Amino acid sequence: MYRFLLTRQWVILTLVALLLIPTMIRLGIWQMHRYEMRSARNQLVSNALHAKPVPVEELTSPGHTVTTHDRYRTVTAKGHFDTAHEVVVRRRTNSDDEVGYHVLTPFVLSDGRVLLVNRGWIPSDGPSQTTFPRVPAPPSGQVTVQGRLMPDETTAASGIKDLKGLPARQIMLINSEEQARRLHAEVLGGYIQQTAPEPKGDSPEQISDPGKEDAPLNYAYMIQWWLFAAGVPYGWWVLVRRERRDRAAAREETEAEATPASV
């Protein structure tokens, strides 16, 4: 009755089905791990953003590496902006994916150490990329700033090449060690994305809060792969039953044609 399963066609089909089932189960497990990982990262970011602001000196110091746990923590600092040593970071986009610059301004603390402050995004509206753009001035005198603590940028983490030979006061990556050498000063590890005080005239355009990773999408993919895995044996059995029915019908038709008609 099911002897056709031993034919070459059905042996290949059965082997393919047997390979698909564990493959789809493993893909579902991989998506489950992606869901758990993204959910954990989302929770970590949320915890950091909602944590009570603390002085920046409590979380970083010269030569310190900002950890994943401290990333996005809100910190405060008192001092003054040093616009004479301000630089711009090339090839940065705003919320509308327009290409421009990030404004990086040294912020001198009361003890003389320096905190790097990313004041936000400005358009690249100069006559050329070699011209230093027009940068709105920050508040003058002593001021308290607040922002999200960020780790130093690297090519490995960002994918941005640290190009050399750039025009004066232009950089590719925000790195506290490089800026310490440039400024000949003690620079706190990492930098902050300024959130307060808000700039006058909405420029520079402050960097928005980090968005959440789409963890539920991975959960949906996990369910999808496991449903596919469950559907393979069901689909195989449906095909087997159809093949058996078609062969039985063909055999009955052949037998009917072979039987002599009675007079």
Side-chain angles (χ1 to χ4, degrees):
M1 187 178 298
Y2 293 101
R3 194 172 299 170
F4 63 88
L5 291 175
L6 299 177
T7 63
R8 182 173 180 272
Q9 176 185 357
W10 274 96
V11 168
I12 293 175
L13 181 61
T14 302
L15 289 175
V16 170
L18 291 174
L19 288 173
L20 283 176
I21 293 172
T23 299
M24 291 177 176
I25 291 174
R26 288 183 62 86
L27 286 171
I29 294 173
W30 178 72
Q31 290 292 348
M32 179 182 68
H33 291 159
R34 290 280 295 171
Y35 166 74
E36 293 173 346
M37 182 177 62
R38 285 187 162 188
S39 296
R41 280 204 294 254
N42 286 340
Q43 188 60 51
L44 193 64
V45 171
S46 179
N47 292 343
L49 291 175
H50 292 91
K52 182 180 178 180
V54 298
V56 67
E57 295 92 341
E58 291 187 12
L59 298 182
T60 185
S61 59
H64 177 78
T65 299
V66 176
T67 65
T68 302
H69 182 269
D70 290 334
R71 186 181 185 184
Y72 298 121
R73 284 287 302 275
T74 300
V75 295
T76 60
K78 295 181 180 180
H80 66 274
F81 284 104
D82 176 14
T83 55
H85 295 97
E86 190 171 64
V87 297
V88 293
V89 191
R90 294 166 60 98
R91 299 181 185 176
R92 300 303 166 108
T93 58
N94 65 357
S95 57
D96 296 322
D97 288 331
E98 298 173 312
V99 180
Y101 303 95
H102 280 175
V103 179
L104 187 69
T105 310
F107 188 78
V108 184
L109 306 176
S110 57
D111 61 4
R113 294 186 297 177
V114 174
L115 169 67
L116 300 177
V117 178
N118 185 343
R119 296 202 288 125
W121 180 89
I122 59 172
S124 53
D125 54 2
S128 69
Q129 289 190 350
T130 60
T131 304
F132 191 78
R134 184 182 64 84
V135 180
S140 58
Q142 291 291 313
V143 64
T144 298
V145 296
Q146 182 171 293
R148 296 182 293 268
L149 184 62
M150 301 294 293
D152 287 329
E153 295 180 342
T154 63
T155 297
S158 66
I160 300 172
K161 293 183 178 180
D162 193 10
L163 302 178
K164 306 300 179 183
L166 296 176
R169 300 176 65 187
Q170 295 190 25
I171 61 175
M172 295 299 299
L173 296 168
I174 304 176
N175 186 282
S176 61
E177 292 184 359
E178 290 182 2
Q179 293 305 306
R181 290 191 291 270
R182 182 180 71 89
L183 297 170
H184 303 289
E186 287 189 291
V187 178
L188 303 187
Y191 66 99
I192 69 168
Q193 296 174 343
Q194 183 180 342
T195 57
E198 295 183 2
K200 296 179 180 179
D202 297 327
S203 183
E205 180 183 319
Q206 291 190 334
I207 301 171
S208 59
D209 288 346
K212 291 185 177 181
E213 296 188 41
D214 196 357
L217 183 62
N218 293 105
Y219 189 87
Y221 286 152
M222 174 190 72
I223 298 299
Q224 184 182 63
W225 280 118
W226 288 346
L227 288 175
F228 286 162
V232 168
Y234 175 77
W236 179 87
W237 179 244
V238 168
L239 292 176
V240 169
R241 294 294 299 272
R242 181 183 299 172
E243 180 77 7
R244 176 179 175 273
R245 185 175 59 249
D246 291 346
R247 285 175 177 267
R251 185 168 55 252
E252 290 176 1
E253 183 178 346
T254 300
E255 290 175 353
E257 290 177 354
T259 302
S262 59
V263 180

